Amino acid sequence: MASTFDPELVASAESIGLCSKRIKRLDDFYQSYIDDGKLAGASVLIARRSNVAHLAAYGMADIEKGRPIAEDTIFRIASMTKPVTSLAVLQLAEEGRLLLNDPIQAYLPEFRDGKVLEEVPDSSDAFRLVDVKRPMTIRHLLTHTSGLIYEPDPAIDGPLSAFYQTLKAFYDVANLNCGLGGWETLERAMQRFGKLPLAFHPGDRWEYGYSIDVLGRLTEVVSGMTLDQYFKTRFFEPLQMNDTDFRLPPEKVDRLATLYIKVEDGNLQPYQDTYVPEPYDPSLLFLAGGGGLTSTITDYARFLQMTLNGGELNGERILSPRSIELALANHIGDLNPWDMPGFKFGLGFQIHTDPGLSGSPKSVGSYDWGGWWHTIFWVDPAKEMFAIKMSQYCPDAWPEDPPDDFWPYPVDHPKLRHLTYQALLD
């Protein structure tokens, strides 16, 4: 493996075991997505053996201004923030400042006296709050087995059961803004997070949610730094991720891709989330460890190459190889993320364990995650490669009465995996 990595330098595909002619299928595919109006624009990077084999930009970052996607376009990466926060916790564990099986209440006392919402026995519409069977630990939070979920949303989840309707009422009062950002600090927000009833006892199930935002506050308390300061000094500066942050300075705002939705007439239009301040809004205070970063495709490539290298990049040691191995182990036993066969969950990453069950071309041991605004990555250690795709699309823009064939979320991600692996020559 090469000793240095520069994501802006593109090697010949054949020199690192990829077929340039077959990679062109990927170009044709994304151009068709742009031409058909499924996406405004997208950027794709494929790296192998510490070299970039493919770095391409398609379509527009801003249709109205005629601004195309470029290598330095900045994207809202949402939940692709979670792996950074998760590895920050592992850094603190390496320094002896915490243990993964420590109860979170030892560091954040607002999580003492945790309660779980349960159905009253012999009833289908009555619920009660009961004490947790076991304390919520840092590892429960890292693995989304904490019981602290995202607020139930009928627009996304469909009609809610009586249980989730009851749980939603608690979340509505807490007003947490989906963990993408907000107008108050992590410290203040945690007072409400700690009072939320859990959807299940810690360790009993896997369900996606606010766990990593809690770990963002844990990182602040243990390190004595705000989360943005910690990320800057421990990740972004040593990895030269110069365009990654929670907030955008004025000189970078014009590089931020516009967020789009598909409306009922089939056209794309800009989307403004009135519940979440934009990264250039000076009122943004909530540093969402679960979903608040903006980044470029080449910046995030540096982060992924560091993980593929066992915690090191270009002479900068971020984590030990053993910590990376620990992050990529199965930490949820017989549970499955999203009830998807063939996948498990580690510490910050989903892990591919069985292609015979998943139908995915990724190698066993590959790890991945994505973001709400339509970004995704995966890393395949067996093939010494990773891929990233970034675009900006709002997936929750359902009309109130959609036609039968209306589906507003482009389904390019599963196809991207096949388009990538079909270009491998070994």
Side-chain angles (χ1 to χ4, degrees):
M1 186 175 289
S3 59
T4 60
F5 175 69
D6 185 343
E8 297 179 6
L9 297 178
V10 181
S12 71
E14 277 74 16
S15 70
I16 49 179
L18 289 156
C19 174
S20 55
K21 183 177 180 180
R22 281 178 166 258
I23 283 181
K24 190 177 182 304
R25 293 177 178 174
L26 194 151
D27 293 330
D28 295 340
F29 172 78
Y30 271 104
Q31 190 57 54
S32 72
Y33 254 62
I34 307 303
D35 294 343
D36 292 344
K38 296 177 179 178
L39 290 172
S43 185
V44 177
L45 184 151
I46 300 170
R48 193 174 193 214
R49 296 170 183 160
S50 294
N51 288 276
V52 174
H54 183 76
L55 176 56
Y58 313 97
M60 308 301 289
D62 190 308
I63 297 172
E64 290 70 30
K65 295 180 180 179
R67 177 164 55 93
I69 294 280
E71 289 181 17
D72 67 349
T73 295
I74 296 172
F75 299 86
R76 304 160 188 82
I77 64 170
S79 287
M80 281 169 55
T81 307
K82 287 180 170 70
V84 184
T85 308
S86 300
L87 294 191
V89 173
L90 288 182
Q91 286 180 326
L92 296 172
E94 283 190 345
E95 295 167 3
R97 300 199 197 187
L98 55 82
L99 293 171
L100 300 187
N101 290 328
D102 285 345
I104 191 63
Q105 67 188 35
Y107 305 90
L108 304 181
E110 52 267 47
F111 284 87
R112 288 192 186 124
D113 305 318
K115 302 292 183 181
V116 176
L117 185 68
E118 280 191 352
E119 184 176 322
V120 174
D122 302 319
S123 172
S124 61
D125 59 1
F127 305 93
R128 62 184 181 180
L129 294 176
V130 301
D131 292 335
V132 293
K133 294 177 181 177
R134 60 190 71 88
M136 181 195 298
T137 67
I138 294 171
R139 194 149 67 105
H140 287 141
L141 291 159
L142 282 164
T143 57
H144 295 284
T145 59
S146 68
L148 187 62
I149 68 171
Y150 282 131
E151 50 265 76
D153 187 343
I156 299 169
D157 305 313
L160 300 179
S161 67
F163 174 85
Y164 281 106
Q165 288 179 36
T166 304
L167 192 63
K168 184 179 185 302
F170 286 96
Y171 276 80
D172 288 344
V173 171
N175 189 27
L176 301 174
N177 295 324
C178 300
L180 292 168
W183 292 271
E184 63 181 343
T185 63
L186 271 171
E187 180 180 10
R188 285 193 60 188
M190 284 303 127
Q191 302 301 318
R192 300 201 308 283
F193 275 78
K195 292 180 174 62
L196 282 173
L198 304 179
F200 52 87
H201 292 277
D204 280 3
R205 294 205 331 249
W206 189 98
E207 189 164 349
Y208 200 42
Y210 284 111
S211 293
I212 311 303
D213 292 296
V214 177
L215 294 177
R217 177 57 184 159
L218 171 71
T219 300
E220 292 188 331
V221 169
V222 174
S223 71
M225 291 186 271
T226 60
L227 192 59
D228 56 344
Q229 291 170 338
Y230 187 93
F231 281 179
K232 182 178 181 180
T233 58
R234 301 299 301 273
F235 288 97
F236 303 154
E237 287 182 344
L239 294 176
Q240 299 181 45
M241 296 172 66
N242 301 322
D243 289 318
T244 305
D245 208 336
F246 289 101
R247 302 182 182 94
L248 280 181
E251 64 271 18
K252 293 184 180 182
V253 172
D254 286 343
R255 290 166 52 195
L256 180 67
T258 298
L259 182 62
Y260 285 95
I261 64 171
K262 187 179 285 291
V263 293
E264 290 185 63
D265 64 5
N267 292 317
L268 294 169
Q269 71 177 32
Y271 175 73
Q272 175 67 53
D273 191 336
T274 57
Y275 296 101
V276 179
E278 287 283 8
Y280 49 78
D281 188 332
S283 66
L284 173 65
L285 293 177
F286 185 86
L287 305 179
L293 287 176
T294 59
S295 188
T296 64
I297 199 164
T298 50
D299 266 17
Y300 209 82
R302 290 181 169 91
F303 175 76
L304 294 183
Q305 185 69 53
M306 176 273 294
T307 68
L308 186 56
N309 289 352
E312 180 271 341
L313 183 74
N314 297 348
E316 294 285 349
R317 171 64 60 185
I318 306 300
L319 283 155
S320 71
R322 181 57 188 144
S323 289
I324 297 295
E325 291 174 10
L326 181 64
L328 302 180
N330 171 23
H331 285 264
I332 61 172
D334 294 333
L335 302 175
N336 290 307
W338 315 112
D339 293 324
M340 289 171 52
F343 291 94
K344 295 295 179 182
F345 206 84
L347 305 177
F349 302 94
Q350 179 173 260
I351 316 298
H352 188 221
T353 57
D354 192 332
L357 292 175
S358 70
S360 172
K362 295 185 295 185
S363 303
V364 170
S366 297
Y367 51 101
D368 65 76
W369 208 240
W372 182 248
W373 305 130
H374 211 59
T375 60
I376 195 170
F377 74 84
W378 75 88
V379 182
D380 189 329
K383 295 298 183 183
E384 301 175 80
M385 67 179 292
F386 64 84
I388 316 170
K389 195 228 74 171
M390 291 191 176
S391 54
Q392 297 284 259
Y393 188 94
C394 178
D396 62 342
W398 277 263
E400 291 186 6
D401 187 22
D404 290 340
D405 61 350
F406 185 89
W407 177 247
Y409 202 81
V411 290
D412 56 307
H413 292 168
K415 296 177 181 178
L416 173 61
R417 291 191 284 270
H418 289 278
L419 285 162
T420 300
Y421 283 95
Q422 59 87 33
L424 279 177
L425 297 175
D426 55 31

